Amino acid sequence: MKIFLLVLLLLFLFFMEELYRYIFCRKSSALFTLLFDSKGHEENYYRVRDEAADRLRDIPCETYTITGGHGETLKGFYYPCGAGGKKIVFLIHGYRSNHLETGGLFYDYYKSRGIDFFCCDHTASGESGGRFIGFDVWESQDCLRWIDFLREKFGSDIEIMLHGFSMGGGTVLQMSSHCPENVKLIVSDSGYRSAKAAMDHQVGPLYHPLRLINRLVAGYDWNDSDVTESLSASRIPILFVHGQDDKFVPYENGPQLYAMYQGEKDCFFPPKTRHIESMYTCPEEYAEKLDNFIGKYMTP
């Protein structure tokens, strides 16, 4: 019996280690990736996304470097689009993504509006360093560092809009009460109320042991990803976007966040749209929403 219990304990510890690596670490679990990674979009979405990423990769840009909050080297990418650095959209990618995958689908829109385009790779993503994913707790702090960098680079009078996706949608909401006055508006696309709201339906009762492991290993608390406090203190105009068929970050996060926010706001909740698919399924409607929101809060 003792041997049986010991074997069960070892299997459970192995399972938890692999699950932790799968969720939190840059070097993910090969076993869990094989078992559980399934495509959440139709094939054509990936084709369109990857082709857009390839186009963005070929566009000349200025590459910048800063040091993140935990000593890692972070990379940022600036694409001039005619605003001379005075109007910039800061595009913020999501979980296990990078600046190319996210930015590619939106570069043409912002270029056509004459808004300079900036995006970064978060810690443990893309060309940036780091071992652990921060679930907006770290990313929001690093993105505030990028805003300070942009102000120093282009001047204290620049206008910035934040446009975040998935974990990046949570990141921009987490930042919302800490931004300088240069940030004129925020778009949160497929964002979440907290990591628990986003992940609880996937990890269930394992949320709390994973939270404890992460506090011991990475040194931050998953519960600190809750954006409620930041939203209650923010007064930056926010556009909330969420597809009604989103299963990765459940759709109810969108209407809940919209209802919670007491500042100036608008929403776009397209039907038959999965996670971060709104520009793919409804490009004209999304562009119109963005045009109206940008027109209200940024200088023409």
Side-chain angles (χ1 to χ4, degrees):
M1 176 62 79
K2 290 183 179 179
I3 294 176
F4 176 72
L5 293 175
L6 178 61
V7 170
L8 283 181
L9 176 61
L10 292 174
L11 286 173
F12 177 74
L13 292 175
F14 172 75
F15 173 85
M16 290 302 295
E17 178 188 12
E18 290 295 298
L19 181 59
Y20 179 81
R21 287 176 55 204
Y22 178 68
I23 295 173
F24 288 95
C25 297
R26 180 179 200 135
K27 187 176 181 181
S28 185
S29 163
L31 174 62
F32 273 64
T33 300
L34 179 65
L35 291 175
F36 297 115
D37 265 17
S38 59
K39 293 186 175 181
H41 306 275
E42 63 183 23
E43 285 295 332
N44 192 56
Y45 170 83
Y46 294 105
R47 181 186 63 78
V48 170
R49 183 200 68 182
D50 293 346
E51 288 177 356
D54 288 340
R55 289 194 301 272
L56 186 60
R57 184 181 289 109
D58 292 336
I59 296 172
C61 68
E62 298 175 26
T63 301
Y64 302 128
T65 300
I66 64 170
T67 300
H70 301 85
E72 67 274 48
T73 298
L74 302 178
K75 294 288 187 70
F77 310 87
Y78 170 70
Y79 300 82
C81 295
K86 294 306 178 184
K87 287 203 299 184
I88 300 174
V89 57
F90 182 177
L91 218 74
I92 298 174
H93 73 75
Y95 177 73
R96 291 201 180 279
S97 187
N98 58 63
H99 77 282
L100 292 171
E101 282 186 352
T102 303
L105 290 171
F106 285 82
Y107 174 78
D108 289 342
Y109 168 80
Y110 283 110
K111 181 175 175 58
S112 69
R113 270 61 175 181
I115 300 174
D116 292 344
F117 194 80
F118 177 80
C119 41
C120 68
D121 283 335
H122 295 314
T123 180
S125 302
E127 298 182 30
S128 292
R131 295 176 56 199
F132 302 108
I133 296 167
F135 278 90
D136 88 43
V137 178
W138 288 356
E139 288 78 4
S140 59
Q141 297 166 5
D142 288 333
C143 286
L144 289 170
R145 292 183 176 89
W146 277 118
I147 290 175
D148 288 341
F149 174 88
L150 293 173
R151 294 173 74 230
E152 183 176 347
K153 177 75 177 177
F154 296 107
S156 60
D157 61 337
I158 63 172
E159 294 186 357
I160 298 171
M161 63 172 289
L162 305 178
H163 195 159
F165 302 82
S166 188
M167 186 184 78
T171 297
V172 296
L173 298 180
Q174 191 74 260
M175 297 165 64
S176 64
S177 62
H178 304 286
C179 291
E181 61 182 12
N182 305 81
V183 176
K184 303 302 182 182
L185 64 102
I186 290 172
V187 183
S188 176
D189 188 325
S190 308
Y192 50 68
R193 191 173 68 256
S194 66
K196 191 175 192 309
M199 299 295 292
D200 201 25
H201 71 293
Q202 299 183 46
V203 299
L206 295 178
Y207 176 88
H208 293 290
L210 284 168
R211 175 192 169 201
L212 176 60
I213 293 169
N214 192 57
R215 289 182 67 180
L216 295 172
V217 175
Y220 74 89
D221 193 327
W222 222 356
N223 279 8
D224 289 340
S225 67
D226 193 309
V227 304
T228 303
E229 184 176 346
S230 185
L231 273 185
S232 67
S234 174
R235 288 299 177 265
I236 298 174
I238 301 177
L239 172 62
F240 296 90
V241 179
H242 217 115
Q244 294 186 27
D245 284 350
D246 193 338
K247 301 297 189 294
F248 187 74
V249 175
Y251 165 62
E252 58 262 26
N253 280 268
Q256 287 172 359
L257 288 166
Y258 179 77
M260 284 168 51
Y261 191 52
Q262 299 303 305
E264 296 185 63
K265 60 187 177 180
D266 198 355
C267 63
F268 179 49
F269 300 144
K272 299 180 181 178
T273 299
R274 288 177 280 189
H275 191 59
I276 61 170
E277 279 190 351
S278 296
M279 186 54 96
Y280 169 72
T281 60
C282 310
E284 294 180 0
E285 296 92 332
Y286 200 165
E288 183 179 1
K289 275 287 183 182
L290 288 171
D291 286 343
N292 290 337
F293 214 63
I294 292 168
K296 283 184 179 180
Y297 302 111
M298 294 188 84
T299 301

